[in-house]
Amino acid sequence: MPEGLDIEREQNINGSMAAFAEQILISTGRSDWTSRIEEEESADGAFVRQLKDLLYKGGKFEDPYHSVMITNSSIPRTESPVQQNKRPREAPSDSRSIPASKPGKDPSITRNQSVPGTPPASAFVLPSFQYVPSIPTESTEVEEFLKAFVLPSRLHQAHDKLSREQQNLLLRQPELQRRFVGARKVNEILILICGHNARDSRCGILGPLLQAEFEEKLQRQNVAILRDPPVAEVEAINTDVEGYVPTARIGQVSHIGGHKWAGNVIIYIPESFKSNPLAGKGIYYGRVAPQHVEGIVSKTIIDGKVIKELFRGGIDEDREIIRL
């Protein structure tokens, strides 16, 4: 553990996780975002702005009973076949660096417009355990992505007073999912570590250290680590094999709250890992130090047990918040 980090040690962190119903985890392939990811002058920043404009205060899909957490991740995006074919003929600069004007800097560009030439986005939706490899960034397509994968499947009873038309606007439409080519269920373990240095140096310091530690300890448990960009549709996996353990993917993520309790780690156990009691759930740990990683891997990731001393909260497949 690095010396000199100002980590709060006294407060009980059980229940300190901000409640959310869904997390949109955007694949950016990098971990050096600005303090507020919506202010990124990039294609990723433009996508985040569109999402927040639709989901947050005053947005078309604002729902105080279905909070959505939007985070960037260092997991690389999936390239579409068109992008792959173009790459040898393109300049060596990364396509992710295509500039996107900040809202207010160019009056001809509104907040919810996509940038011409912007590559499709890629994102995980959790705990729905869906991966959407290609999300067109035109405003109408972003709306369809939210309606297909992110909006609630049923509304809170407080919405009963709304008209049927208003209720339908806020409800998920899973039939739209077929429009997103390659979308699939997530069968890999996801380990998400806050490494948002521009937001807080404690996470910036601990993020890479914890990622390296998780990689080492998972390999000791013979868990294969995925480093390449996530693939789209995959072959069916026989999860009923005795001793089945899924692969794992580790990524650094942007702000998830509680920097004073760094390192902050979210672990999503896929539904396909049936022998794990935490299958289909996300577990949120705080004050994670390198020396804790071996225990987290063996107890939580392999055996499905929660470590009470590190537990900040969790979310299950019914979007219910888990407390101890």
Side-chain angles (χ1 to χ4, degrees):
M1 182 70 174
E3 295 181 359
L5 294 184
D6 183 19
I7 308 298
E8 197 283 323
R9 303 286 182 187
E10 302 300 323
Q11 186 175 347
N12 180 5
I13 60 175
N14 182 16
S16 65
M17 180 194 83
F20 65 93
E22 209 76 71
Q23 179 179 7
I24 301 174
L25 182 71
I26 303 166
S27 300
T28 72
R30 38 185 287 252
S31 58
D32 57 342
W33 316 286
T34 57
S35 178
R36 296 184 180 278
I37 58 175
E38 67 270 24
E39 295 178 358
E40 286 271 322
E41 294 195 44
S42 65
D44 297 323
F47 183 51
V48 172
R49 289 194 291 274
Q50 291 186 81
L51 293 174
K52 290 195 172 187
D53 283 346
L54 289 165
L55 291 167
Y56 290 7
K57 188 174 182 179
K60 183 176 182 178
F61 302 126
E62 179 191 4
D63 184 346
Y65 302 99
H66 188 80
S67 177
V68 178
M69 179 167 63
I70 301 169
T71 48
N72 281 347
S73 80
S74 63
I75 298 170
R77 76 177 79 224
T78 300
E79 290 189 341
S80 67
V82 173
Q83 289 174 278
Q84 293 170 356
N85 292 336
K86 285 183 177 180
R87 183 169 291 279
R89 300 190 295 274
E90 290 178 338
S93 61
D94 191 333
S95 63
R96 288 187 295 270
S97 64
I98 297 173
S101 294
K102 274 188 177 181
K105 284 198 169 185
D106 185 344
S108 67
I109 297 181
T110 61
R111 289 183 64 92
N112 64 352
Q113 283 181 320
S114 61
V115 179
T118 300
S122 302
F124 293 84
V125 184
L126 304 155
S128 288
F129 286 91
Q130 294 275 355
Y131 178 66
V132 189
S134 183
I135 307 167
T137 53
E138 292 80 6
S139 58
T140 55
E141 300 289 345
V142 174
E143 287 191 23
E144 287 212 339
F145 161 68
L146 295 176
K147 289 189 285 188
F149 296 97
V150 178
L151 298 186
S153 298
R154 61 179 184 272
L155 296 179
H156 189 275
Q157 61 184 12
H159 292 307
D160 290 348
K161 60 184 179 181
L162 297 178
S163 69
R164 175 57 59 184
E165 182 180 3
Q166 290 172 317
Q167 291 181 25
N168 289 339
L169 177 66
L170 297 175
L171 279 170
R172 186 177 303 188
Q173 301 176 38
E175 66 274 11
L176 296 177
Q177 293 180 7
R178 66 175 67 97
R179 300 187 185 183
F180 292 84
V181 178
R184 64 169 175 86
K185 292 296 289 183
V186 174
N187 290 307
E188 60 261 45
I189 299 162
L190 291 175
I191 301 163
L192 311 176
I193 307 162
C194 185
H196 200 168
N197 187 64
R199 193 68 178 258
D200 193 286
S201 62
R202 289 168 289 192
C203 289
I205 291 170
L206 279 173
L209 295 177
L210 293 175
Q211 180 168 358
E213 197 72 17
F214 271 106
E215 289 179 354
E216 178 190 342
K217 298 305 187 288
L218 284 165
Q219 288 173 330
R220 287 189 184 183
Q221 294 278 1
N222 296 317
V223 178
I225 298 172
L226 304 174
R227 294 184 173 87
D228 293 334
V231 296
E233 293 175 336
V234 294
E235 294 181 3
I237 300 172
N238 182 5
T239 62
D240 294 325
V241 176
E242 184 177 354
Y244 167 78
V245 177
T247 55
R249 189 179 295 279
I250 308 169
Q252 294 184 54
V253 299
S254 59
H255 179 62
I256 53 177
H259 290 308
K260 63 183 179 180
W261 300 309
N264 287 293
V265 179
I266 305 177
I267 300 169
Y268 284 103
I269 306 295
E271 297 166 308
S272 56
F273 193 2
K274 298 174 185 176
S275 64
N276 190 309
L278 297 176
K281 298 175 176 59
I283 300 300
Y284 195 154
Y285 284 147
R287 297 191 185 123
V288 177
Q291 62 263 31
H292 296 134
V293 172
E294 186 171 14
I296 292 172
V297 169
S298 64
K299 295 300 180 185
T300 301
I301 295 176
I302 302 300
D303 294 342
K305 298 177 181 178
V306 171
I307 300 171
K308 184 177 180 179
E309 291 76 14
L310 305 176
F311 185 71
R312 290 191 59 189
I315 186 168
D316 67 17
E317 52 269 42
D318 295 320
R319 312 308 184 275
E320 295 293 330
I321 299 302
I322 303 169
R323 304 291 191 218
L324 293 182

